[in-house]
Structure formats: structure tokens, C-alpha cells
Amino acid sequence: MTTTDLPLIRTLGLTKLYRPGDHPVAALDGIDLDLDATDFTAIVGASGSGKSTLLNLLAGLDRPTHGTVQVAGRDLARLDAAGLAEYRLKTVGMIFQSFNLIASMTAAENVELPLTFAGMDRTERRRKAADVLNRVGLSDRMGHRPAELSGGEQQRVAVARALVADPAILLADEPTGNLDSRTAAEIMSLLVDLHRSGKPVVMITHDLELAERVATRQIRLLDGRVATDSRQPTMALAEATR
């Protein structure tokens, strides 16, 4: 099998153990998954189900106790700290529930940050940041700092920052968890539009109803294992965001 034949993301026997006391606790217990580049995947589960642990492993923010994570044919276990940093910079774009914006920086400067770490020159950084902020509807807010932006605007800045390096995958951690229902719907519509434009999305959420509305694939975790795994036609997304 060639690299091009592989799924975008593959996990094999993925296990993560924590040891809060004398007995280990399995946050993930042998997860086998193939995630395709064409999917908007929602990973659903209650608190403690293992969904955040799974996303952190896919993002290269943590390492498994056992098993493997392969992304675009690359085994993350074979990457050293520098390799994982490059992976997070170029392969995955992370969207966090709490936005994780730097308060002293403008929207444009927050979006430029990954490109600064990549060593891109200032003129090109500014051009790319302006382009992606325009894409998420914030061309008139580039000079504003997070405290001057609404929650929805801050999350749009976070989406723009995740997109600016043109990653292969968007990973979203409860992206609407801190937003009111109307703003949450706007952010989900933006993520659906990005998926339609060809960007794979993997989102974790506790909200099964939301997952069923927007995702082409819903994976429900329970006690660190896959409880259900279902798909719906992409056409259903058109109805979900009207």
C-alpha cells in the first residue's frame, strides 16, 4: 500500500494510561480508527469519555502509552520534539474552545504568529494574515486586540490562525463551547464551509445533536473506546446550515 492509499489519519491500538494513584486509568483503551480526508468528523462523548485525549494525540500534543497515530503516512511516534513542533506548525491547525489568543497582540498579529515561528518574512506574513482574516469575515477588525472583540470574533481569529499556514487538517476542540447559540451557529457554518472547500475537519464535542447536524461522520466514545461510528451523506450539511 502506498502513502496515497492510506487514510489521512489512522490509529492502531491507541491507548493512553494515566496513573493518578496505584492503579492506571485508561483514558483511551485500544482505539482503531481510519479518518478520511473527505470527512467532517465529529468525535462525541461525555466528560471522561476520552475525546480530548484523542484530539491531543492527533495534534501531537501528547504521546500514547501504547499504539500508533499515523497522519498522511507519518508515524508520530517516530518524530522527536522538533519534528512534532514542525508537524503542529504545518500539518494540523488547532482551534481551541478558549480561543488561546495573546491579549497584547492584534488580531492580525495573533494570526501571523505561526508564520513567525516558521521564519516567514514580515511582508508575506502580513499578506497571508490579511487574506485569511478576510476569508473569515474580519477584514475590518485586523487591528483590534482580543479584549476589543466579541467572543465570536475571537473564535474567528482563532480559526484564521489555524488556517494561515494552510494545514492539511483542522482540529477543533469544542469550538462553540464558550459561545452563545447564535454565534455558535455562525462558527459552525464557517467550519462547514471550510470543509466544503476541501479542508478535512476533526471536531470534538459533547453535543451529539450538533454532531449529527454538521458532521459527515460521528464517532461516539465511551470509557475510552469507540461505542458507535456512523456516517451521513454530505448533502445533509446543506440543510444543517440553512
Side-chain angles (χ1 to χ4, degrees), residues 209-230:
E209 181 182 353
L210 172 66
E212 290 174 341
R213 286 205 316 272
V214 304
T216 60
R217 184 175 179 187
Q218 305 92 38
I219 297 168
R220 185 171 67 88
L221 298 186
L222 180 65
D223 297 333
R225 298 180 179 181
V226 175
T228 60
D229 186 348
S230 60

Side-chain angles (χ1 to χ4, degrees), residues 16-145:
K16 182 65 180 180
L17 302 178
Y18 293 102
R19 299 180 183 274
D22 294 335
H23 302 288
V25 174
L28 292 179
D29 189 9
I31 297 285
D32 295 331
L33 284 176
D34 284 353
L35 304 182
D36 296 332
T38 56
D39 275 332
F40 186 133
T41 303
I43 299 171
V44 184
S47 178
S49 63
K51 61 186 188 300
S52 294
T53 300
L54 177 56
L55 197 75
N56 286 339
L57 293 174
L58 298 183
L61 295 171
D62 199 0
R63 292 186 183 270
T65 307
H66 306 291
T68 61
V69 179
Q70 299 170 7
V71 180
R74 301 170 70 194
D75 184 349
L76 299 193
R78 297 181 179 273
L79 301 180
D80 59 13
L84 284 173
E86 182 181 12
Y87 166 78
R88 291 191 294 268
L89 182 65
K90 297 181 178 179
T91 303
V92 292
M94 281 289 296
I95 304 167
F96 299 94
Q97 177 179 349
S98 56
F99 317 140
N100 283 14
L101 303 178
I102 297 176
S104 61
M105 290 184 170
T106 66
E109 289 167 342
N110 269 282
V111 173
E112 285 179 35
L113 201 55
L115 305 180
T116 303
F117 292 141
M120 185 177 291
D121 72 83
R122 186 177 183 182
T123 300
E124 185 65 5
R125 291 199 313 260
R126 287 186 168 182
R127 184 189 68 79
K128 284 183 173 291
D131 285 348
V132 75
L133 282 165
N134 181 63
R135 187 177 181 186
V136 301
L138 289 179
S139 58
D140 61 339
R141 308 291 275 172
M142 291 191 290
H144 289 70
R145 289 178 170 78

